[in-house]
């Protein structure tokens, strides 16, 4: 598995991690996006990820009100992992009327849920908060300096807010190591709105969430559009899953299939491989998995090499989604 440095920290992570949103047990607004997974299935997914070389896992407070954090910690423990052997990332959510003091006041809950694992990367989940960027950044710096967390990241931050957060942390001697953004071949907006350019300039890692566009890049919904009707959650209502959206992305999907056949892999693996290579070392991905075989497929995405021509062809067909 390809290894990447997490921003300007000393943490080494695999270019492919595991997103743990789906471990929310179907609870809450965020968790309701997915079906509740049985405990053995969660363990199977984590095990397949570890065996494939994935060394880090991304969860959040908002994923089932801590249920995902607890499910991840339990699975890692049952599989014999100890603190320091894996990298764990979580997030604080700026629920309405929460101030920056909540970041410090709730860190005990995060650590309790993840026990015995520590927090290697703590992130601000959304940029819309009842607190200034400076107040949030200073609260995070306080946690680093107190030894409660190792590094600091943000999520869904614009280039302007990311730069502002970076500058405040830098004044405290703490680097901003990551910005977690929605990024896939069907959503390349961060390349046109300044986020990617700023990340490269500042040495910030882009953590791509929804890198398979909620499964669209697998091509299965293009083959059989009726599949979406049986899906749990709001995906079925997204424009990209409607007939017009499927037709718009069909040329890209057909090219992914063609390239996948040439490499003996799947379209999803080609899509992930492009993300982790096209921008050098800047981008890492956190695809989710609801079955062990999904995790195995994620791992396989880092084990082949796309040619320059293949990278270019995919780029050209997906540029309409910039």
């Amino acid at each position: 598995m390809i290894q990447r440095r997490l921003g300007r920290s000393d943490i080494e992570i695999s270019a492919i991690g595991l997103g743990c949103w789906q471990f929310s047990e179907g609870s809450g607004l965020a968790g309701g996006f997915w079906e509740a997974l049985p405990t053995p299935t969660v363990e199977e997914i984590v095990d397949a990820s570890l065996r494939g070389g994935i060394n880090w896992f991304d969860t959040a407070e908002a994923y089932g009100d801590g249920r995902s954090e607890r499910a991840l910690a339990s699975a890692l423990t049952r599989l014999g992992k100890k603190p320091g052997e894996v990298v764990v990332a979580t997030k604080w959510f700026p629920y309405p009327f929460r101030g920056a003091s909540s970041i410090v006041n709730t860190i005990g809950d995060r650590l309790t849920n993840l026990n015995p694992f520590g927090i290697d990367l703590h992130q601000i989940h959304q940029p819309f908060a009842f607190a200034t960027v400076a107040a949030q950044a200073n609260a995070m710096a306080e946690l680093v300096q107190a030894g409660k967390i190792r590094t600091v990241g943000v999520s869904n931050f614009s280039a302007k807010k990311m730069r502002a957060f970076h500058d405040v942390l830098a004044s405290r001697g703490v680097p901003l190591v990551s910005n977690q953004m929605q990024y896939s071949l069907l959503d390349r907006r961060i390349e046109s709105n300044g986020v990617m350019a700023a990340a490269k300039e500042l040495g910030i890692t882009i953590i791509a969430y929804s890198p398979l566009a909620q499964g669209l890049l697998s091509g299965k919904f293009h083959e059989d559009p009726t599949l979406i009707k049986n899906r749990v959650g709001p995906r079925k209502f997204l424009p990209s899953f409607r007939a017009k959206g499927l037709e718009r992305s069909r040329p890209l999907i057909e090219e992914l299939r063609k390239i996948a056949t040439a490499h003996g892999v799947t379209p999803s693996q080609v899509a992930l491989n492009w993300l982790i290579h096209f921008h050098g070392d800047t981008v890492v991905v956190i695809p989710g998995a609801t079955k062990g075989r999904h995790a195995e497929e994620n791992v396989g995405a880092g084990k082949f090499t796309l040619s320059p021509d293949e990278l270019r062809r995919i780029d050209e067909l997906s540029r309409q989604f910039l």
Side-chain angles (χ1 to χ4, degrees):
M1 177 67 71
I2 301 164
Q3 297 292 303
R4 296 273 165 83
R5 187 180 176 191
L6 179 60
R8 290 177 174 163
S9 75
D10 60 357
I11 298 176
E12 292 285 328
I13 57 174
S14 48
I16 300 169
L18 179 70
C20 300
W21 181 9
Q22 70 280 8
F23 294 171
S24 304
E25 299 178 2
S27 178
L29 182 61
F33 208 87
W34 305 97
E35 298 179 53
L37 298 177
T39 297
T41 300
V42 172
E43 186 170 324
E44 179 186 1
I45 291 166
V46 174
D47 186 40
S49 300
L50 291 166
R51 285 188 287 103
I54 286 175
N55 76 336
W56 71 289
F57 302 83
D58 180 83
T59 181
E61 172 187 25
Y63 299 164
D65 191 26
R67 288 173 175 81
S68 173
E69 293 172 321
R70 293 192 291 272
L72 172 63
S74 294
L76 289 170
T77 299
R78 288 193 301 271
L79 290 166
K81 288 296 175 181
K82 295 179 174 56
E85 294 180 347
V86 294
V87 174
V88 175
T90 191
K91 311 177 197 74
W92 169 82
F93 196 89
Y95 291 112
F97 308 115
R98 266 184 163 181
S101 61
S102 170
I103 298 171
V104 175
N105 295 339
T106 60
I107 197 64
D109 295 333
R110 309 276 65 73
L111 290 168
T112 296
N113 287 342
L114 290 166
N115 185 54
F117 301 93
I119 298 172
D120 299 292
L121 171 63
H122 199 26
Q123 304 155 93
I124 304 292
H125 204 149
Q126 294 287 346
F128 309 110
F130 196 68
T132 65
V133 163
Q136 292 175 81
N138 279 311
M140 283 290 205
E142 181 181 330
L143 290 176
V144 171
Q145 291 164 351
K148 299 287 187 180
I149 63 176
R150 289 180 69 188
T151 60
V152 179
V154 293
S155 181
N156 299 302
F157 272 50
S158 67
K160 182 179 180 180
K161 285 194 172 184
M162 181 173 69
R163 287 181 182 279
F165 208 101
H166 168 275
D167 291 348
V168 176
L169 284 180
S171 72
R172 300 283 299 268
V174 176
L176 176 64
V177 301
S178 63
N179 189 1
Q180 187 170 147
M181 300 294 297
Q182 183 166 311
Y183 183 51
S184 74
L185 288 171
L186 295 180
D187 187 348
R188 294 178 59 182
R189 289 172 294 175
I190 65 170
E191 295 179 58
S192 59
N193 63 15
V195 170
M196 182 72 77
K200 289 180 178 180
E201 175 191 335
L202 299 172
I204 293 170
T205 296
I206 293 292
I207 300 174
Y209 72 83
S210 294
L212 296 175
Q214 305 298 331
L216 269 177
L217 287 164
S218 70
K220 63 184 178 182
F221 298 109
H222 294 75
E223 289 180 1
D224 183 4
T226 64
L227 289 175
I228 191 58
K229 294 180 181 179
N230 300 319
R231 295 285 154 173
V232 172
R235 273 186 291 178
K236 65 185 73 175
F237 304 113
L238 297 175
S240 54
F241 281 89
R242 302 292 182 96
K244 187 175 181 180
L246 292 173
E247 286 310 305
R248 184 186 178 200
S249 57
R250 190 175 298 279
L252 171 62
I253 297 301
E254 290 176 352
E255 184 64 27
L256 292 179
R257 284 184 180 134
K258 179 181 176 182
I259 293 172
T261 299
H263 287 273
V265 296
T266 68
S268 295
Q269 289 173 317
V270 173
L272 292 176
N273 190 288
W274 187 92
L275 288 182
I276 63 175
H277 285 108
F278 192 72
H279 293 283
D281 293 341
T282 299
V283 178
V284 297
V285 297
I286 47 169
T290 55
K291 295 180 175 63
R293 61 181 173 82
H294 295 161
E296 292 170 355
E297 184 175 356
N298 292 343
V299 166
K303 298 186 176 179
F304 61 97
T305 302
L306 294 172
S307 71
D309 181 60
E310 288 168 334
L311 290 168
R312 178 190 57 76
R313 278 156 38 206
I314 294 169
D315 173 39
E316 290 176 351
L317 285 169
S318 62
R319 290 191 72 80
Q320 63 174 307
F321 301 104
L322 278 167

